[in-house]
Amino acid sequence: MTENTETFDPKAYRRALGGFATGVCVVTAHTKDGPLGITVNSFTSVSLDPPLVLWCMDIRSDRHDAFAGADRFAVHMLPVEDKEMSDRFAWGVARLSEDEFETANPEPPCLRNAVTRLDCDMHQQIIMGDHLVIVGHVRSFATRPGDALTYFRGKYGQAVDPTI
């Protein structure tokens, strides 16, 4: 194991954090800029009673103001086949096209292929360091069978659904 004891190297620290395998989520919201998405792997459950979840976003993100100003959002846990969607909302166009989400229920936008979706009301926001921590109160959810997209050491992977 390599230790970083002499100087604190932010790039090495980021690589070290990549040693924690995570799921991949896209968070969506209706914003003043239209329906937007952002890829996150900083997602976790906070509480069962009340049902709270959180995710984090860099305060320097070009989508910061849009998501910080949203009253509602949805967290979508991506299936393994949605790598391109993950990349797109991480680095590319953030605006959702009408064929990507259910338009019958416009608040918040619901992606069509998620393994799990959590519809949330904004509960709390906290700035911590260079990130905004967003806590959502889960109002409804939906789930389906399927293998999940994961991220580990800068590469995509797969978590096999043990129920199938």
Side-chain angles (χ1 to χ4, degrees), residues 72-75 108 110 117-121 137-141:
R72 298 186 68 203
F73 60 88
V75 179
C110 299
R117 184 189 77 247
L118 308 171
D119 294 330
C120 303
D121 291 337
H137 187 165
V138 179
R139 296 298 180 184
S140 64
F141 62 92

Side-chain angles (χ1 to χ4, degrees), residues 139-160:
R139 296 298 180 184
S140 64
F141 62 92
T143 189
R144 68 166 181 83
D147 295 344
L149 186 61
T150 62
Y151 203 68
F152 178 64
R153 297 203 190 278
K155 304 285 184 201
Y156 286 116
Q158 170 178 347
V160 176

